[in-house]
Amino acid sequence: AMYTALGQIDHTFLTQVLTRRAAALGWEIVQLQGLSPIEVQELFSDARLFINTNTLESLNATVIEAMAAGCPVISYTAIGGVDFLEDGVNAQVFENLEVFQMLEAALDIMAQPEAHALKMASLQKAGWATASQYNRDRTRKAMAEWWRKIKFPQ
């Protein structure tokens, strides 16, 4: 079976339809909700696709984790996704709650994985590059700069 990790669920319609249709195509949908960080990490290492349905994150670390694990991403822009998601570059991105467009894209990939192989490989490579930007040193420096600007505004 081909696994797809499914992020936090905002609505049940997408989940129900996607799960039923994916099963008919030989894919298994696994929801992340309730899994430990280690279980999520293991799932990402085996998953062929990550579908992020969360629309409320300022920086969705789960998307970054999926990218770091080499898992191509389909995602809503969410709130903070606009800061790092690039449609067609490092993810396939949809405006928040474009449920039918996201569902159609995900099912098309599942129905024709060979036809999308080059695109998925490109998203995977760009996703790794995106995820590599989020590390402890870079975050520490960015926070220090942010605090400096607050403390000593120009």
Side-chain angles (χ1 to χ4, degrees):
M2 292 181 255
Y3 297 98
T4 298
L6 188 63
Q8 299 294 327
I9 306 305
D10 297 309
H11 39 79
T12 57
F13 173 77
L14 176 64
T15 307
Q16 291 171 352
V17 173
L18 190 58
T19 300
R20 188 177 66 250
R21 291 238 181 113
L25 295 169
W27 288 65
E28 180 182 351
I29 302 296
V30 179
Q31 295 186 39
L32 301 183
Q33 199 166 10
L35 298 180
S36 72
I38 292 172
E39 290 170 320
V40 170
Q41 195 174 38
E42 289 171 356
L43 180 62
F44 281 155
S45 68
D46 292 333
R48 298 275 309 268
L49 186 63
F50 174 60
I51 302 169
N52 176 46
T53 59
N54 193 327
T55 60
L56 302 174
E57 293 282 342
S58 57
L59 172 65
N60 193 325
T62 309
V63 172
I64 300 295
E65 291 169 11
M67 289 177 168
C71 199
V73 171
I74 293 179
S75 181
Y76 287 133
T77 54
I79 294 170
V82 295
D83 293 331
F84 68 94
L85 291 172
E86 298 177 70
D87 186 35
V89 177
N90 64 1
Q92 194 164 353
V93 184
F94 297 88
E95 291 298 318
N96 289 343
L97 300 179
E98 285 187 344
V99 177
F100 296 106
Q101 294 89 333
M102 180 183 267
L103 180 62
E104 182 180 345
L107 290 171
D108 190 49
I109 291 167
M110 291 177 204
Q112 305 176 66
E114 307 83 23
H116 294 281
L118 289 176
K119 179 173 98 174
M120 293 294 102
S122 177
L123 294 179
Q124 182 183 48
K125 184 176 180 182
W128 279 325
T130 299
S132 72
Q133 297 174 33
Y134 294 89
N135 60 54
R136 187 169 289 173
D137 286 339
R138 183 167 185 241
T139 302
R140 194 176 291 134
K141 288 176 186 173
M143 288 298 295
E145 178 64 18
W146 181 76
W147 279 109
R148 187 191 63 75
K149 285 180 181 178
I150 288 176
K151 193 171 182 177
F152 304 108
Q154 297 177 350

